[in-house]
Amino acid sequence: LCSSDLNPFISQLINSDKSQMNSKKSLKANQEATFPTEYYNDLATKILNYIETDKPYLNPDFQIKDICVHFLVPQHHVHYCLNEILHTDFHELRTEKRITHAKTIMKRVKNPVKPEDAGIESGFSTNTSFNIAFRKYTGMTPEQWLYQKEEFKD
């Protein structure tokens, strides 16, 4: 059945529905553009402040949805801020913060944390995931990194 076989009224309805569907797709695709840049810059700043201040990444179950719940914003807004404004993604940011925290607690003078405990205390769910991520970000194991830091103290 082709549209020429249909009565003109039905054909017009079908074309109207197609046009509306394309408009909705276009609207959704440009949704980020409808919000002022100021909104996303502000949200990106708030996200970074939240992560720095509250340190939610120390929770092994920390997910992007936790940021959404905290700020009462849709997940695609958070993704946009991370990807387009901060030029990172959630997993990279979370892992980077965890590695930085692990380094800090391993090298502190009072009560330094052993490398085998630093990963868990920094939000990694296992030592294996910590060691893999640490090596990816630093090019060495936590033990090697700590030894190198100790060497430079002397």
Side-chain angles (χ1 to χ4, degrees):
L1 193 67
C2 68
S3 59
S4 62
D5 295 338
L6 300 174
N7 94 30
F9 179 73
I10 294 175
S11 180
Q12 184 180 0
L13 279 175
I14 290 172
N15 289 333
S16 173
D17 283 349
K18 285 180 184 175
S19 172
Q20 284 181 349
M21 283 175 33
N22 287 336
S23 293
K24 286 179 183 177
K25 284 181 184 176
S26 173
L27 180 63
K28 185 170 176 118
N30 293 320
Q31 192 170 21
E32 278 78 23
T34 62
F35 281 96
T37 305
E38 188 178 313
Y39 165 79
Y40 286 108
N41 287 334
D42 185 48
L43 182 58
T45 301
K46 287 178 181 177
I47 290 168
L48 284 180
N49 287 338
Y50 166 63
I51 289 173
E52 289 294 328
T53 305
D54 292 14
K55 299 181 181 354
Y57 54 85
L58 297 179
N59 177 349
D61 298 324
F62 178 53
Q63 296 294 323
I64 195 166
K65 66 179 170 55
D66 298 319
I67 297 172
C68 301
V69 169
H70 183 80
F71 291 108
L72 303 173
V73 296
Q75 189 166 322
H76 65 272
H77 287 201
V78 175
H79 274 293
Y80 183 84
C81 288
L82 295 174
N83 297 333
E84 302 299 322
I85 301 200
L86 301 174
H87 306 289
T88 189
D89 68 28
F90 174 75
H91 299 287
E92 289 290 320
L93 180 63
R94 180 182 62 189
T95 302
E96 182 182 306
K97 293 297 180 186
R98 287 176 174 174
I99 296 294
T100 301
H101 184 264
K103 288 177 176 179
T104 301
I105 64 176
M106 285 190 299
K107 71 179 181 184
R108 66 183 174 207
V109 177
K110 282 189 173 183
N111 303 322
V113 176
K114 296 176 185 174
E116 58 269 18
D117 298 326
I120 302 300
E121 288 190 33
S122 299
F124 289 94
S125 53
T126 67
N127 272 331
T128 301
S129 62
F130 169 59
N131 286 323
I132 291 168
F134 198 95
R135 187 173 203 118
K136 177 183 173 190
Y137 279 80
T138 65
M140 57 187 88
T141 67
E143 291 80 5
Q144 291 168 333
W145 180 85
L146 194 56
Y147 178 75
Q148 182 185 46
K149 294 294 173 199
E150 294 291 323
E151 243 179 22
F152 289 119
K153 280 185 185 177
D154 297 335

